Amino acid sequence: MLAYQEKPVKIIVPIKQVPETGNVKMDPQTGTMIRSGAAAVVNPLDLYAIEAALRLRERHGGSVTVVSMGPPAAIKAIREAIAMGCDGGVLVSDRKFAGSDTWATSYTLAAAIRWMGGSDLIVAGERATDGDTAQVGPGLAAWLDVPLATYVAHITHASEAGISVERLTEEGYQQVELALPALLTVVKEIATVRLPTLRGKKRARQTEVPLLTAADLDLDGARLGLKGSPTKVVKIARPKVARGGERVAVNGDPAAAVDALIAFLEQRQLVTGGRQ
Amino acid sequence: MSFIWTIAEQHDGELKAVSFELLARGRALADALDTRLASVLIGAEVSEAQLQELVVRGADEVYYIEDRRLAEFVCESWSNTLATLVRQYQPAVILAAATSTGRTLMPHLAVKLNAGLTADCTELAIEAGTDNLLQTRPAIGGNIMATIKTPDNRPQMATVRPRSTVPLPRDPQRAGKIIRVPADEAEVETRVRVLGCRTDAEDFVNLEEAEVVVAGGKGMKRAENFALLRDLAAQLDAMVGASRDAVDRGWIGYPHQIGLSGKTISPKLYIGAGISGSIQHLAGIKTAETIVSVNRDPDAPLHSIADFAIVGDLFEVVPELTRRLKALKAAET
Ligand SMILES: Cc1cc2nc3c(=O)[nH]c(=O)nc-3n(C[C@H](O)[C@H](O)[C@H](O)COP(=O)(O)OP(=O)(O)OC[C@H]3O[C@@H](n4cnc5c(N)ncnc54)[C@H](O)[C@@H]3O)c2cc1C
Ligand SMILES: Cc1cc2nc3c(=O)[nH]c(=O)nc-3n(C[C@H](O)[C@H](O)[C@H](O)COP(=O)(O)OP(=O)(O)OC[C@H]3O[C@@H](n4cnc5c(N)ncnc54)[C@H](O)[C@@H]3O)c2cc1C
C-alpha cells in the first residue's frame, strides 16, 4: 500500500462560558440564569476538550477552532481558548437565542458549525458545570448526523479514516472506532490541561472573532431561544443541605468517638453495609 | 393517548438495578394517569426469565428489540431503532437512567423526536389538571433544584438519577405481555464499531452503584495510606472514592473521583476522611443518604453538611473503626 500524506484535521470545540462559583442567581420568573455578577470562565470541563483537540493537532496537523453560543461577553471565553493555543473562534450571539434549552442550543450550534464549513472532528466537554445536563454534545451529533462517542477517557488511534477511543462506562472502558467526521465528548481523564501562554494571550487579543447572529445562520425562527425550547423551567428551589448532624471530637480518645459513630450507624441500620 | 415507557438496561444479558428503579418511577406515574407502563429493552441473548422479571417489577408490557448487532450500546443504532418504535406507539413519557448509556441515548433521541428532555431527575410527579410531567432535578452542582415541564411536545423525556428511588418488591403473580420487536436492517447499520470493553483496568470501580462509599482526600497523605480505606471498605461492603486532589496526586485512579469533574453518587452511606468538602466535591455527594466526615479541622465544610462528624485524626479513627466493625462481624457469626 502506498503511504499517503495524512490530511490535516479540522477540529471544532464547542465551549460554554459559565459562572465561576456555585453562587449563581436565578430569575424566579423565567427560571433562566442571571449572568451578571459572578465572574465568568470557560466551562472547566471544556478545557479538557480543548486540550484533547490541541494534542490531536500536534500529532496530525490541522486546526482547532472553538465556537461558543452566549451573550456578547462570552467572547472572553473564546479569547481564553485562543490563548491556550486554539487557532480561532466564533461567537454565536443574539437575543433571540436567550433562554435556549439543550434542544434549542444544540440546534443553533449545529447551524453555526455548518456555517463554519463543518469539521472532521468535534470535541465537546462532558457537561457544563451550571446547566449540568451533558445533553448538548449528543444533541449536536444528532442534528449534524455524525457518529458519537461520549465520556471518552482515551484516544488510542486517529487517522483520516477514523478514530479509536475508550469510553468510561459503568462496566469498564468501552473501546469503539468511529468513522470521521465524528463527535466526541471527553472526561477529565483524557489529559492534563495546559495553561495559556503569554504569546497565546497576545495572539488572542489580536485574533478577530467573527460574530454570528440568527440572521447569519440557516435557522427556523420558531426553534430558537426560550420560545423554541421544548422544556420550560417552572420552579427553582434551594435544596436543604444542612443535615443538623451530630458531632464528636476525638480529643485523645478515638475509641469513644468510634463508639458514638457505631451507635449512630446502628441506629440508621448501616453497619451491615447497608444491605437490604 | 398516554402511555409510560422506561428504557431498561442490561449488561451481558443481566438486567441492571436501575431498570427496576425506573419501573418503580414509571408505575407511580402510570397509576396516577390510569394508564399502562411498558419497558423497552434493547440487546441480544436476554433470557425469557429476565424479560419476565421486568413484568414482576411493575411493567404491563415489555418490548424487546433483539439483534446481535445491538448487543453493545452504540448511540446511533439504538437511537434510530427507538425513534421508529416511539413513532409507532407514541408514548407520553419516556424515562431512562442517568447513566453513561441513558445520558447519551436520550438527548440524541430527543433531537430526532423534537422532544424536550430533562436531565438527571430526582423527583417526578404528574401535575394536577394538566397531566403534564413535573420533573425536578438538581443543577449548578446540586445548589438548586429546578422543576421543569414540557407542555407542548410529546413524548416528555427524562433521565433519572440512579439510586434516587427503590425498586418495587417482586410480584411473581403480576401478568404482562412480552412483545418481541425485530430490528430494522437499515437502522442497525452504524458508523461506529465496538472493539471491546476493557474491564481488567487496574483499580476500576462503578461508584454510582455503590451502597456505601468510603472516600479519601489530601489528608490521606500518600497512596499507600489508601490501604486503610480499603480495609474499612471491606468491612462495610463499600467502594473506595476520592477527592480530586487525591486523584491528581496519582494516589488512586480517575474512576474513583467524586465531584464536579468526577462522579455524582447517591449511596446510603458516604464516609469522607481527610476531605475538606469543597463545593466541587460536595456537588457529587449531595444526594447521599447519610454523610459521615472524619477531619481534624473542626471548621472543615464537610463537617457542617455531615450527619455525623468526627473531629480528629483519621489515622487514629479509621483503623479503630475498621477494628470495631471487624469485631462486630465476628461476634455476629
Ligand atoms: C437550572 C437549570 C436546569 C436546566 N435543565 C435543563 C434540562 O433538564 N434540559 C434541558 O434541555 N435544558 C435545561 N436547562 C437549559 C440548559 O442549561 C441550557 O440549554 C444550556 O445552554 C446548555 O445546557 P448545559 O449547560 O446543560 O450544557 P451541557 O449539555 O452540559 O454541555 C455539554 C457540552 O456542550 C457544549 N456546550 C454547551 N452549551 C454550549 C454553548 N452555549 N456554546 C457552545 N458549546 C456549548 C460544551 O462543550 C459543553 O461541555 C437548564 C437550565 C437551568 C438554568
Ligand atoms: C473546576 C473545578 C472542578 C473540580 N472538581 C472536583 C471534583 O470533581 N472533586 C473534588 O473532590 N474536587 C474537585 N475540585 C477541587 C476542589 O476545589 C478541592 O481543591 C478539592 O476537593 C480538595 O480536595 P481535598 O478535600 O482532598 O483536599 P483539601 O481541601 O486540602 O483537604 C484536606 C483535608 O484533610 C484534612 N486532614 C489533613 N490531615 C488529616 C488527618 N491526619 N486527619 C484528619 N483530617 C486531616 C484537612 O484538615 C483538610 O480539611 C475541583 C475544582 C475546580 C476548580
Side-chain angles (χ1 to χ4, degrees):
Chain A
M1 210 167 82
L2 276 177
Y4 62 90
Q5 190 66 39
E6 269 189 46
K7 189 178 80 182
V9 269
K10 182 175 168 196
I11 306 176
I12 291 179
V13 181
I15 62 170
K16 187 184 184 191
Q17 191 181 48
V18 300
E20 177 146 39
T21 63
N23 251 340
V24 198
K25 291 206 177 65
M26 289 290 156
D27 181 336
Q29 300 293 258
T30 63
T32 52
M33 278 179 249
I34 302 173
R35 298 272 196 158
S36 51
V41 294
V42 177
N43 171 31
L45 303 189
D46 292 348
L47 299 178
Y48 302 106
I50 293 172
E51 183 63 39
L54 291 175
R55 289 186 186 198
L56 281 169
R57 186 190 64 186
E58 279 157 13
R59 291 185 67 129
H60 302 276
S63 65
V64 177
T65 313
V66 295
V67 56
S68 188
M69 175 176 122
I75 194 162
K76 193 171 148 259
I78 292 171
R79 295 208 191 281
E80 271 174 58
I82 297 172
M84 280 176 70
C86 295
D87 297 275
V90 173
L91 176 64
V92 184
S93 188
D94 195 313
R95 296 179 71 147
K96 292 196 178 111
F97 303 147
S100 296
D101 72 353
T102 61
W103 189 92
T105 299
S106 55
Y107 171 69
T108 309
L109 280 173
I113 288 171
R114 283 196 201 97
W115 182 93
M116 293 163 76
S119 68
D120 301 306
L121 186 66
I122 297 168
V123 187
E126 177 198 341
R127 75 199 134 84
T129 55
D130 53 352
D132 233 359
T133 66
Q135 291 178 177
V136 171
L140 256 179
W143 286 114
L144 294 169
D145 190 25
V146 295
L148 163 72
T150 50
Y151 304 98
V152 170
H154 309 113
I155 296 174
T156 48
H157 182 75
S159 75
E160 204 171 309
I163 187 160
S164 303
V165 301
E166 293 194 330
R167 304 177 57 230
L168 180 58
T169 71
E170 290 79 2
E171 278 75 40
Y173 292 95
Q174 188 195 35
Q175 302 168 308
V176 293
E177 185 182 69
L178 296 83
L180 296 180
L183 189 146
L184 313 177
T185 77
V186 300
V187 296
K188 173 184 172 251
E189 195 178 5
I190 194 105
T192 306
V193 172
R194 74 191 63 192
L195 293 170
T197 60
L198 266 171
R199 213 163 53 111
K201 282 184 184 162
K202 185 164 170 237
R203 214 170 53 78
R205 281 194 299 273
Q206 291 163 347
T207 307
E208 198 186 320
V209 175
L211 166 71
L212 300 181
T213 64
D216 298 312
L217 300 172
D218 182 16
L219 290 167
D220 172 355
R223 296 179 154 192
L224 305 181
L226 194 60
K227 269 217 188 89
S229 293
T231 64
K232 314 282 178 201
V233 178
V234 291
K235 199 178 102 192
I236 297 281
R238 285 208 161 264
K240 30 179 206 326
V241 279
R243 293 168 183 248
E246 295 178 39
R247 173 181 285 242
V248 293
V250 169
N251 286 337
D253 191 356
V258 168
D259 270 344
L261 174 57
I262 287 186
F264 168 83
L265 294 176
E266 271 177 342
Q267 182 206 329
R268 293 207 177 184
Q269 295 178 318
L270 289 165
V271 272
T272 51
R275 270 171 299 175
Q276 285 156 322
Chain B
M1 183 172 98
S2 63
F3 193 18
I4 313 283
W5 276 15
T6 67
I7 310 294
E9 284 191 33
Q10 52 90 22
H11 181 66
D12 284 346
E14 192 76 23
L15 288 166
K16 295 205 223 171
V18 281
S19 307
F20 306 133
E21 293 168 19
L22 290 172
L23 282 171
R25 297 280 191 179
R27 192 68 260 163
L29 301 178
D31 291 347
L33 289 170
D34 196 15
T35 184
R36 302 198 315 278
L37 172 64
S39 204
V40 182
L41 183 70
I42 301 178
E45 287 169 37
V46 177
S47 69
E48 194 67 30
Q50 285 284 289
L51 297 175
Q52 190 59 37
E53 193 63 20
L54 291 167
V55 173
V56 166
R57 296 290 192 149
D60 300 313
E61 276 144 44
V62 174
Y63 294 94
Y64 176 37
I65 310 173
E66 181 169 34
D67 192 296
R68 197 175 31 79
R69 290 159 297 179
L70 296 173
E72 308 286 341
F73 172 64
V74 170
C75 185
E76 251 190 319
S77 46
W78 282 41
S79 174
N80 288 341
T81 302
L82 271 175
T84 304
L85 204 67
V86 172
R87 290 193 187 104
Q88 187 181 343
Y89 291 96
Q90 310 206 342
V93 173
I94 306 178
L95 307 179
T99 51
S100 63
T101 296
R103 292 191 91 163
T104 305
L105 175 66
M106 291 286 271
H108 198 273
L109 184 61
V111 163
K112 283 178 174 282
L113 298 172
N114 288 336
L117 170 63
T118 304
D120 203 20
C121 299
T122 54
E123 287 163 47
L124 295 171
I126 298 294
E127 186 178 46
T130 66
D131 283 355
N132 280 325
L133 181 64
L134 292 175
Q135 307 154 100
T136 302
R137 60 171 299 239
I140 318 199
N143 289 306
I144 63 156
M145 298 296 288
T147 301
I148 290 171
K149 66 180 177 185
T150 312
D152 304 320
N153 301 52
R154 291 293 178 272
Q156 305 162 86
M157 297 172 65
T159 57
V160 181
R161 183 170 288 193
R163 303 187 48 84
S164 63
T165 191
V166 286
L168 297 172
R170 299 186 75 238
D171 178 0
Q173 255 64 62
R174 268 190 65 85
K177 255 200 316 217
I178 292 169
I179 302 142
R180 287 168 188 270
V181 187
D184 187 305
E185 273 308 306
E187 285 163 357
V188 292
E189 271 312 306
T190 168
R191 296 162 288 187
V192 178
R193 205 156 62 93
V194 179
L195 307 170
C197 185
R198 195 157 58 84
T199 50
D200 59 336
E202 196 193 323
D203 207 25
F204 185 83
V205 278
N206 181 6
L207 276 186
E208 289 100 327
E209 269 172 24
E211 298 237 306
V212 181
V213 172
V214 175
K218 206 166 91 191
M220 295 305 297
K221 305 258 179 345
R222 53 174 175 274
E224 297 75 56
N225 292 337
F226 269 82
L228 296 176
L229 296 184
R230 290 194 193 94
D231 290 347
L232 175 57
Q235 297 308 315
L236 288 166
D237 274 339
M239 293 186 201
V240 175
S243 73
R244 188 180 79 167
D245 279 44
V247 170
D248 285 356
R249 281 173 172 72
W251 296 347
I252 192 163
Y254 172 67
H256 297 263
Q257 187 184 315
I258 298 164
L260 198 65
S261 50
K263 294 194 173 147
T264 304
I265 57 170
S266 311
K268 283 199 171 138
L269 173 62
Y270 161 96
I271 301 179
I275 292 182
S276 61
S278 63
I279 46 169
Q280 293 90 356
H281 188 80
L282 297 184
I285 61 167
K286 287 230 167 100
T287 48
E289 244 172 75
T290 296
I291 295 177
V292 174
S293 168
V294 183
N295 196 310
R296 65 181 177 198
D297 175 5
D299 299 322
L302 187 59
H303 278 334
S304 60
I305 74 145
D307 299 277
F308 197 98
I310 297 188
V311 182
D313 187 344
L314 75 91
F315 295 102
E316 288 175 17
V317 174
V318 171
E320 175 66 12
L321 180 57
T322 306
R323 200 184 60 75
R324 290 291 307 278
L325 291 170
K326 226 181 233 168
L328 269 180
K329 266 196 183 167
E332 258 171 33
T333 50

